[in-house]
Amino acid sequence: MDMKTKKDLAVDFINTIRTMEPTALNALIVKEAGEELAQFFLNYSANLISKDPARVLENTSSLMLMGYLIRTYEEKNTQARQGTFQSYAFA
């Protein structure tokens, strides 16, 4: 079985969204993140970039990593809640 690394998966995802039509990408963002979270990141990014425009590349990298960390945090919390509910259901 060919297991992809986290970097491989990230590259695959970036290549996929890079080729998406803007309307399809927007629909994906709204579906997966919701408009409120999308607006939060837009505002956060604008604020971050306006504070230090010379560090746009570093800030972009930081924002991408923040998105990744938020996602892993969500997954861990979802798994923890599901584990709690499952053990409660069998108690």
Side-chain angles (χ1 to χ4, degrees), residues 17-49:
I17 64 169
R18 185 185 314 161
T19 60
M20 289 177 86
E21 292 292 326
T23 54
L25 179 56
N26 187 59
L28 177 65
I29 291 169
V30 169
K31 177 183 174 223
E32 296 297 331
E35 296 211 21
E36 183 179 353
L37 186 57
Q39 189 62 44
F40 166 77
F41 269 99
L42 178 65
N43 293 337
Y44 185 81
S45 300
N47 185 29
L48 189 63
I49 291 168

Side-chain angles (χ1 to χ4, degrees), residues 5 12 17 32 43 45 52 58 65 68 74 76 85:
T5 66
D12 288 349
I17 64 169
E32 296 297 331
N43 293 337
S45 300
D52 194 354
E58 291 173 41
L65 285 169
Y68 177 81
E74 288 173 344
K76 286 178 185 175
F85 290 139

Side-chain angles (χ1 to χ4, degrees), residues 58-77:
E58 291 173 41
N59 290 337
T60 301
S61 174
S62 295
L63 288 168
M64 292 176 78
L65 285 169
M66 182 184 299
Y68 177 81
L69 293 173
I70 289 169
R71 183 62 179 183
T72 58
Y73 178 80
E74 288 173 344
E75 288 174 356
K76 286 178 185 175
N77 281 318

